[in-house]
Amino acid sequence: MAVYTDITEDDLKWFLTEYDVGELLSYKGIAEGVENSNFLLHTSRDPLILTLYEKRVDKGDLPFFLGLMQHLASRGLSCPLPLPRRDGALLGHLSGRPAALISFLEGMWLRKPEAHHCREVGKALAAMHIAGEGFEIRRPNALSIAGWQTLWEKSEARADEVEAGLQDEIRGELDFLAKHWPKGLPEGVIHADLFPDNVFFLGDKLSGLIDFYFACNDQLAYDVSICLNAWCFEKDHAYNITKGMALLEGYQSVRPLSPAEIAALPTLARGSSLRFFLTRLYDWLTTPAGAMVTKKDPIEYLRKLRFHRQIASSAEYGLKA
């Protein structure tokens, strides 16, 4: 569920007077997403997305997110574009929340992506990394090494409720990653959350990337490892090397990985697995019963973490020399 703040038609019409978007015809809440309240608006000109930024989003980060989408779109990447108000600002207020109007992106996300879709995702991710060059605002990755430790401290005492022995296993993993986390790899703007529901397709053609609200500055190859985890495992948690090969080939056809990035990929994949395991674990343990939020099983990412722990070389992901 992703409508946490209700809006009235009168308030919405007042809000829209600050934009040159035509007359409001209809609006409805969008059920997907977990961070913000989203609505689909139909106007006399174009369909639009209205986003109300909820309390979990730091208002200070909004210039980064909105400015990044503008920057990427100006560099040719297909992504939603924030609409300016009549005064030129990208951000307004509605129902007590910061709010923005975003262009509507045609397409749907895939429930069952195949290898050729993964290849297109790899290309699009590399294109985003290149398009992000020159964006001057920086946002550190709050969900990297230091952030993982903070999340773990909030969940550690109850971790063995999810699986016996989990406390010792995750402590050991955090220690390993703190000692072996790659340094000096190429950095830039990363999406950091490019799961299937954040990539739109029209048929087999990728139509654009959405939801940049975890975007930040970090090592580019870390973003590749997030996509391997998100796109290249099957429902039985088995790694699909055909999908992995396609995604990596697609990425490298646009932005070749350096030898150091290739060597670091297994460690980066362990880290990105741990990142999503920890956020899911925290939500699993703290979300009250009956909340209008779908909890995601942390064990899925624990199994991915254990898989990456056995990887000796990036060639095992399908990466060709």
Side-chain angles (χ1 to χ4, degrees):
M1 183 67 176
V3 176
Y4 305 103
T5 300
D6 289 327
I7 59 176
T8 68
E9 183 175 351
D10 286 344
D11 285 346
L12 178 55
K13 286 182 175 179
W14 173 85
F15 177 80
L16 293 179
T17 63
E18 300 296 327
Y19 296 83
D20 185 18
V21 295
E23 179 185 354
L24 178 68
L25 301 179
S26 66
Y27 71 98
K28 64 178 181 179
I30 299 174
E32 293 176 340
V34 295
E35 290 291 320
N36 304 307
S37 294
N38 296 288
F39 299 84
L40 173 62
L41 277 54
H42 288 278
T43 75
S44 54
R45 296 187 184 176
D46 299 295
L48 299 169
I49 299 296
L50 167 67
T51 297
L52 274 62
Y53 298 100
E54 299 294 343
K55 294 179 180 179
R56 290 212 294 180
V57 176
D58 185 344
K59 186 178 178 180
D61 286 334
L62 294 178
F64 176 91
F65 298 141
L66 298 175
L68 176 61
M69 286 188 278
Q70 277 194 322
H71 178 85
L72 294 174
S74 73
R75 299 287 297 273
L77 190 81
S78 180
C79 66
L81 183 64
L83 275 63
R85 296 170 11 129
R86 297 184 191 277
D87 62 4
L90 297 179
L91 199 63
H93 284 82
L94 177 60
S95 298
R97 298 282 186 266
L101 278 184
I102 312 290
S103 64
F104 179 80
L105 189 66
E106 293 283 354
M108 296 184 65
W109 68 274
L110 302 173
R111 270 64 176 178
K112 296 181 179 180
E114 299 179 9
H116 60 279
H117 300 122
C118 293
R119 181 174 287 104
E120 295 306 306
V121 170
K123 291 179 182 178
L125 180 68
M128 194 214 93
H129 289 165
I130 293 171
E133 294 173 0
F135 184 57
E136 295 182 353
I137 307 175
R138 292 186 59 83
R139 180 177 183 262
N141 187 358
L143 291 172
S144 191
I145 294 279
W148 301 340
Q149 185 62 47
T150 301
L151 274 173
W152 176 238
E153 289 170 359
K154 295 177 180 178
S155 305
E156 181 177 8
R158 296 181 57 198
D160 280 13
E161 295 176 23
V162 176
E163 184 178 295
L166 206 49
Q167 284 187 350
D168 290 340
E169 181 176 357
I170 299 305
R171 282 194 208 109
E173 191 65 26
L174 284 165
D175 288 344
F176 172 86
L177 291 171
K179 293 175 183 176
H180 297 93
W181 195 244
K183 298 178 181 178
L185 300 181
E187 295 189 358
V189 176
I190 69 169
H191 187 284
D193 194 39
L194 201 61
F195 279 64
D197 57 351
N198 288 330
V199 181
F200 281 5
F201 282 82
L202 286 170
D204 285 335
K205 181 177 174 58
L206 192 150
S207 60
L209 311 181
I210 68 167
D211 198 350
F212 289 84
Y213 299 112
F214 285 100
C216 56
N217 294 89
D218 207 332
Q219 299 180 120
L220 300 179
Y222 177 65
D223 222 10
V224 177
S225 78
I226 291 173
C227 284
L228 284 176
N229 278 321
W231 289 85
C232 302
F233 285 80
E234 301 300 332
K235 291 189 180 298
D236 64 357
H237 308 295
Y239 181 72
N240 186 321
I241 194 169
T242 303
K243 290 183 177 179
M245 184 182 300
L247 190 146
L248 292 166
E249 285 179 349
Y251 186 91
Q252 294 214 100
S253 71
V254 177
R255 179 190 170 268
L257 294 165
S258 70
E261 288 176 305
I262 292 171
L265 200 54
T267 302
L268 294 169
R270 285 174 70 166
S272 59
S273 297
L274 182 65
R275 173 261 187 265
F276 286 99
F277 166 76
L278 288 172
T279 50
R280 289 184 177 197
L281 177 67
Y282 176 77
D283 288 344
W284 190 265
L285 293 173
T286 60
T287 301
M292 299 290 284
V293 175
T294 301
K295 296 192 293 185
K296 297 179 180 179
D297 187 359
I299 296 299
E300 175 188 351
Y301 267 81
L302 180 63
R303 289 174 175 169
K304 292 176 181 180
L305 172 58
R306 289 167 176 167
F307 168 82
H308 295 301
R309 203 180 284 150
Q310 307 305 314
I311 295 293
S313 163
S314 293
E316 295 178 58
Y317 295 125
L319 189 62
K320 293 182 179 179

